[in-house]
Amino acid sequence: MIRVLVADDHALARMGLTAMLGAQPDLEVVAEAADGLAAVEETRRVRPHIVLMDIRMPRLDGIEATRRIRALPDAPAVLVLTTFDLDQYVYDALRAGAGGFLLKDAPPGRLAEAVRTVAEGHSILAPTVTRRLIERFLTIAPRDTEVLARLTDREREVLTLIGQGRSNAEIATDLLLAEGTVKTHVSRVLMKTGLRDRVAAVVFAYEQGLVRVGSAGNA
């Protein structure tokens, strides 16, 4: 069971997130926080696996709260969830140690999958954010076409879908595979390519021409 702490200064938003996540069989909301300082305090108290963090909150904003939480011993993962699709928030959140950045208009299924992905130690970004980051990275990132030869055809398919911003559940549906099988393929892709996380895999997929800017499915 993945233990989740929900931090948001809007009571209705907290209630909605708590209800939605609590309906998932493998997710349990163990605490809520109405501001960043409370999020840090509750993290120390209940020791969640992941904190779902809003950005604009009183007393302590979500960026600084993320920084403090990630500095704790045995720190949980942090997934930033916000209505503000601004580059500076993305960069600040990732620098603070967040494992993901998702917009609040994401479908419930995508949010639940993002919580699972980040809790497992992987990274995930909202597709619109990913596309902008890709456009920046492509101007400076070196190419390494030889790495693709290490992948099987199926692993290359999975890498392409990761590049399109597809979640594990969506990839499983697209390829008619069990979600557990997809997770295994994702792990092998990261291992064989030497990529750090899912975000790096997205960048790599664009670099290698598996996905083109502006033409990726959901991205």
Side-chain angles (χ1 to χ4, degrees):
M1 184 71 71
I2 298 174
R3 294 163 54 83
V4 184
L5 188 157
V6 175
D8 195 301
D9 62 327
H10 291 94
L12 288 178
R14 288 199 312 276
M15 290 173 58
L17 290 169
T18 296
M20 189 277 292
L21 295 175
Q24 302 295 316
D26 58 336
L27 304 179
E28 177 188 9
V29 176
V30 294
E32 299 179 19
D35 59 67
L37 195 57
V40 177
E41 294 169 349
E42 286 297 290
T43 296
R44 289 194 180 101
R45 185 178 71 83
V46 303
R47 303 177 66 83
H49 295 119
I50 182 169
V51 178
L52 194 58
M53 182 77 74
D54 190 21
I55 288 184
R56 291 188 176 180
M57 293 188 293
R59 292 211 296 169
L60 191 69
D61 65 54
I63 302 297
E64 181 58 29
T66 295
R67 185 174 292 109
R68 295 187 188 185
I69 286 172
R70 293 296 295 159
L72 295 173
D74 299 320
V78 176
L79 173 61
V80 171
L81 186 66
T82 180
T83 56
F84 303 101
D85 183 12
L86 301 177
D87 285 346
Q88 193 58 51
Y89 285 152
V90 180
Y91 304 141
D92 288 348
L94 296 180
R95 281 197 296 267
F101 188 101
L102 206 62
L103 301 181
K104 286 184 177 179
D105 61 1
R110 180 177 288 275
L111 175 57
E113 176 64 15
V115 169
R116 297 183 185 101
T117 299
V118 175
E120 291 172 356
H122 303 298
S123 297
I124 193 166
L125 294 176
T128 55
V129 172
T130 299
R131 185 167 58 243
R132 291 201 307 273
L133 292 179
I134 292 304
E135 290 169 348
R136 292 192 178 198
F137 281 131
L138 283 179
T139 64
I140 59 174
R143 294 180 179 273
D144 187 358
T145 56
E146 295 180 2
V147 175
L148 285 177
R150 303 174 191 167
L151 304 179
T152 65
D153 290 343
R154 178 63 83 189
E155 288 164 354
R156 188 176 299 201
E157 284 182 300
V158 170
L159 175 58
T160 299
L161 290 170
I162 292 173
Q164 293 176 354
R166 310 291 279 176
S167 67
N168 284 351
E170 290 168 334
I171 293 173
T173 299
D174 291 343
L175 299 181
L176 302 178
L177 298 173
E179 191 170 342
T181 301
V182 171
K183 290 181 180 180
T184 298
H185 284 311
V186 171
S187 296
R188 288 175 178 168
V189 166
L190 296 179
M191 179 185 67
K192 289 183 178 181
T193 58
L195 297 169
R196 180 184 67 256
D197 53 35
R198 201 180 188 94
V199 174
V202 173
V203 174
F204 182 74
Y206 274 84
E207 289 174 351
Q208 303 309 312
L210 298 179
V211 183
R212 295 184 180 182
V213 175
S215 64
N218 288 11

